Amino acid sequence: DGGITQSPKYLFRKEGQNVTLSCEQNLNHDAMYWYRQDPGQGLRLIYYSQIVNDFQKGDIAEGYSVSREKKESFPLTVTSAQKNPTAFYLCASIEGGPNSPLHFGNGTRLTVT
Amino acid sequence: GDSVTQMEGPVTLSEEAFLTINCTYTATGYPSLFWYVQYPGEGLQLLLKATKADDKGSNKGFEATYRKETTSFHLEKGSVQVSDSAVYFCALRTRAGSYQLTFGKGTKLSVIP
């Protein structure tokens, strides 16, 4: 079955460490996205990529970095510069076109202590 | 910029009650509108969508009508079940740009037997 795989489901890190969240899709979608979800805040866009080797900052990119070396993969690195990294992170992709829905992975819950 | 406003939750209903979750939006142009559902510990799933004024999206007994005159896209269901307990997100996408979605903050629904 096609879909988006995020791993791991739960991740724990010490403050000051960088951590990379994995996102892999086998839907052959060009565009991929990273969202952050906090209680009562809805979803906020971190980064997005519309094509391999290209990506753009979203609304809350500070303290995060991404790469898009392959169409299937869009890893997110949460750096030590991110002030409040503890959150639920969601990866998504889209086939294309303004009426196409986003397809989401099941998320990674990151806890930094 | 674009924005989505949802009624604040949580909403608690008895099984078989009628559900309405209000959603209004502000956007330039003619956005596509979406409702997503998130079950505990999971990513978001598309529930329904509407792409032009007066369109009605429907799925699993849920309905929402794109009302351009009131800039609204309220979600309704005639008889909720315990299994409908989840967080519901209203979202929009304008035609231009990156196909990213702008989300509301979400409304948590709890259905009790």
Side-chain angles (χ1 to χ4, degrees):
Chain A
D1 284 342
I4 299 176
T5 301
Q6 290 187 244
S7 60
K9 189 170 178 64
Y10 298 97
L11 193 51
F12 298 89
R13 281 293 182 271
K14 295 289 188 187
E15 198 173 314
Q17 294 178 335
N18 291 353
V19 59
T20 298
L21 282 60
S22 170
C23 177
E24 303 281 330
Q25 54 103 353
N26 60 3
L27 298 166
N28 200 34
H29 289 173
D30 286 317
M32 298 184 73
Y33 302 79
W34 275 105
Y35 284 90
R36 170 179 171 142
Q37 185 178 15
D38 297 283
Q41 295 278 339
L43 276 71
R44 293 181 289 170
L45 182 65
I46 304 172
Y47 267 98
Y48 64 96
S49 167
Q50 293 184 270
I51 197 167
V52 173
N53 292 322
D54 185 57
F55 47 83
Q56 306 294 328
K57 292 182 179 181
D59 300 319
I60 56 163
E62 186 175 348
Y64 299 97
S65 66
V66 293
S67 62
R68 187 84 186 278
E69 297 176 3
K70 299 186 299 182
K71 188 175 186 178
E72 309 80 45
S73 179
F74 191 40
L76 173 74
T77 297
V78 184
T79 75
S80 56
Q82 167 50 231
K83 297 278 191 287
N84 297 297
T86 295
F88 190 51
Y89 291 88
L90 287 161
C91 180
S93 69
I94 186 173
E95 184 174 4
N99 299 327
S100 299
L102 281 177
H103 296 260
F104 282 87
N106 279 333
T108 292
R109 185 165 299 280
L110 172 64
T111 302
V112 176
T113 57
Chain B
D2 298 343
S3 67
V4 176
T5 303
Q6 288 180 238
M7 64 185 287
E8 291 194 18
V11 174
T12 302
L13 294 174
S14 297
E15 209 166 18
E16 299 183 4
F18 185 86
L19 168 71
T20 300
I21 300 178
N22 290 339
C23 171
T24 57
Y25 66 89
T26 303
T28 54
Y30 300 94
S32 295
L33 301 174
F34 304 83
W35 275 101
Y36 281 82
V37 59
Q38 184 180 34
Y39 298 102
E42 298 184 6
L44 277 68
Q45 303 172 26
L46 178 69
L47 183 59
L48 53 84
K49 68 177 184 181
T51 60
K52 61 182 187 297
D54 300 324
D55 266 2
K56 178 185 283 189
S58 62
N59 186 25
K60 300 180 181 179
F62 291 90
E63 293 183 339
T65 301
Y66 189 141
R67 301 283 187 205
K68 188 169 181 296
E69 64 276 13
T70 55
T71 61
S72 65
F73 193 52
H74 305 321
L75 183 69
E76 296 181 336
K77 187 174 185 183
S79 176
V80 294
Q81 306 300 313
V82 172
S83 58
D84 294 326
S85 298
V87 181
Y88 292 82
F89 292 91
C90 185
L92 68 82
R93 177 190 295 127
T94 50
R95 294 284 187 266
S98 67
Y99 301 143
Q100 67 190 67
L101 291 177
T102 299
F103 287 88
K105 292 187 176 182
T107 302
K108 183 175 181 180
L109 170 67
S110 297
V111 180
I112 55 178

